[in-house]
Amino acid sequence: MTDTQTITIFDTTLRDGEQSPGASMNLTEKLEIAHALVDLGVDVIEAGFPIASPGDFEAVSEISKRVQGATICGLARCSDGDIDRAWESLKEAERARIHVFLATSAIHRQFKLKMDKDEIIARAVGGVKRAVGYCDDVEFSPEDAARTEPDFLCAVVKAAIDAGATTVNIPDTVGYATPAHMGKVIKTLVDRVPNIDRAVISVHCHNDLGLAVANSLAAVENGAGQIECTINGIGERAGNCSLEEIVMALRTRRDYYDHDTRINTQRLVPTSRLVSSVTGLQVQRNKAIVGRNAFAHEAGIHQDGMLKEPTTYEIMRPKDVGFTKTDLVLGKHSGRAALADRARSLGYHLADEQLKTVFAEFKKLADKKKEIYDGDLTALIEQQLYDVPDEAWSLVSFSVQSGTGEQPRVRLTLRHGDRDVTEEMSTGDGPIDAAFLTTEKITGIKLLCKDFRVRAATLGRDAQGEVTLDVEHEGKLHRGRGVSTDTVEATVKAILNAVNRIVMTTEGTSRAGDR
Ligand SMILES: [Zn+2]
């Protein structure tokens, strides 16, 4: 046996992933995901872009203080202000990394930066050196590397390593590369950059052509030692290299690549579900590794083979990636310990106070429905993860009347601080529309509904209804989620959830303006 090389898994779900439209997360949600990533076994967590907003700064600081077991990384442009701010947020981390980036392709140099090649190299070196002054783990990314002229890319990478970069990350920022091309870019660096042995080569591939995982594999084959990826492949536009796919490709085909990762693959499905429910970005059914149908054999001939010998049609076992056969059922008599245990195996790390609230809600739900499934529990916990700020709106009561040939009528009482506001309206083309209009009237926040989805959180007719919606407010997309055994109530809760996210974001923006 040769020595299998371990590939560093750099997760950027909380930075690149969060840039997916409508996927912004609050601090509690980010902390949950960070803890889950440590359980999963990722090596580096890119927690945010600290200078981008006060919210990002706070998230990176809190994750640095509270999450142990992985290197915490913050992104910065090659400017003093960015790097200082990044370090300020990272300084309490058990292990910290500063990630500086600067675009290097001709098109970015000419149109975005208006800088020539020498200026680019000087700026990159300056940025890396400033970061090295703070911490010895520094990553440098020449943005749009895949479209940068090979000679210049080699020159920039050499200069960054000389300046002290310990990881050089090669991003295919626009998702333009193909596997053979990406492999060649990495091989060129290995062959032509004289000091390349002093740094780890990393790749960051976008999925615009559906090739992010294939491109990352090609990079590994040619000498890359780190892969940047996200859970469920979320990220800008078509997203990033999907963590679960690249990890299982390396694990399943270790015979060919002779590389592996430290990922605990049985945590893949729970982490995927956590990220999906926190971000509201659903996983397609046929998604490799974590999709609901990923291991479902429909064709009779397959089923026959599977029964005789699973390996005839199965290259991985469902349990290896964390699918469990049974949904554990909790009921009225289940205690707090059982609930805590189940929450933990679903990937949540609830503080005592949160657990207390979830348990109270669980008891209430157990009175309404006999069997509480994982989906119910997830829905209850998700509601607790959403910290309700003082300025938030909450539901006091509602009533809806609708019927054939009748104008829908909605009466809504909302609480804001210690003030209750009631409005009654009979308008709209249905009770949902009427609920939207009434909420807008009370809160004064205009909402354009872009997507509206209702699904049963679990099995059975008494299942909780989960409403997820995307609304646009002042050109930005926000999501809302509400859960109840009553679908109309779930809708009203989802609308309020979106309203509160808007209130919080607007707050954040005005604070950012003060800087
Ligand atoms: Zn990216």
Side-chain angles (χ1 to χ4, degrees), residues 209-437:
L209 294 172
L211 295 170
V213 173
N215 290 343
S216 305
L217 273 178
V220 166
E221 244 185 312
N222 285 279
Q226 172 179 288
I227 295 169
E228 303 201 356
C229 46
T230 60
I231 302 293
N232 299 335
I234 65 171
E236 291 260 29
R237 310 183 307 278
N240 287 74
C241 170
S242 129
L243 182 147
E244 57 281 0
E245 293 177 21
I246 190 79
V247 163
M248 288 313 291
L250 289 172
R251 182 72 45 95
T252 308
R253 297 308 312 275
R254 226 173 97 166
D255 63 314
Y256 180 79
Y257 290 100
D258 202 18
H259 285 75
D260 206 350
T261 67
R262 294 180 194 87
I263 296 297
N264 170 9
T265 61
Q266 295 191 345
R267 297 301 308 163
L268 288 172
V269 167
T271 314
S272 158
R273 287 183 178 160
L274 174 73
V275 169
S276 166
S277 61
V278 165
T279 58
L281 299 173
Q282 282 176 20
V283 172
Q284 81 206 43
R285 286 193 181 206
N286 61 326
K287 169 87 166 64
I289 318 295
V290 294
R292 252 172 81 179
N293 290 357
F295 291 89
H297 295 265
E298 214 27 63
I301 187 164
H302 284 202
Q303 287 176 347
D304 180 53
M306 285 286 294
L307 287 174
K308 287 176 179 146
E309 171 53 48
T311 53
T312 46
Y313 285 102
E314 217 167 55
I315 58 167
M316 302 168 275
R317 290 173 304 176
K319 69 170 192 186
D320 295 340
V321 302
F323 278 108
T324 45
K325 274 231 172 58
T326 46
D327 220 8
L328 203 89
V329 182
L330 296 175
K332 212 174 169 148
H333 303 291
S334 305
R336 219 160 110 174
L339 179 85
D341 192 52
R342 199 64 205 139
R344 219 186 151 77
S345 67
L346 288 171
Y348 294 95
H349 293 70
L350 299 178
D352 287 349
E353 209 43 44
Q354 290 171 315
L355 184 64
K356 223 165 107 184
T357 326
V358 174
F359 189 62
E361 291 298 317
F362 165 78
K363 284 286 172 191
K364 272 191 233 164
L365 183 63
D367 281 335
K368 286 192 223 160
K369 68 194 291 268
K370 263 202 337 244
E371 293 171 319
I372 312 273
Y373 297 96
D374 287 349
D376 291 312
L377 203 55
T378 305
L380 288 182
I381 297 171
E382 290 295 332
Q383 292 195 321
Q384 296 315 310
L385 291 188
Y386 174 67
D387 337 280
V388 179
D390 297 338
E391 64 274 22
W393 291 89
S394 59
L395 175 65
V396 178
S397 66
F398 81 97
S399 72
V400 175
Q401 231 181 300
S402 75
T404 314
E406 261 179 61
Q407 188 76 268
R409 175 178 293 276
V410 169
R411 187 186 159 85
L412 205 55
T413 303
L414 302 182
R415 184 163 296 157
H416 188 239
D418 47 16
R419 194 166 58 97
D420 283 3
V421 191
T422 305
E423 274 294 342
E424 192 173 324
M425 289 179 86
S426 73
T427 180
D429 61 8
I432 306 290
D433 189 29
F436 264 104
L437 289 167

Side-chain angles (χ1 to χ4, degrees), residues 12 15-17 19 46 171-174 204-206 228 235-237 239-240:
T12 183
R15 204 276 300 162
D16 209 318
Q19 286 171 229
E46 187 164 55
D172 179 21
T173 309
V174 293
H204 177 106
C205 297
H206 275 274
E228 303 201 356
E236 291 260 29
R237 310 183 307 278
N240 287 74

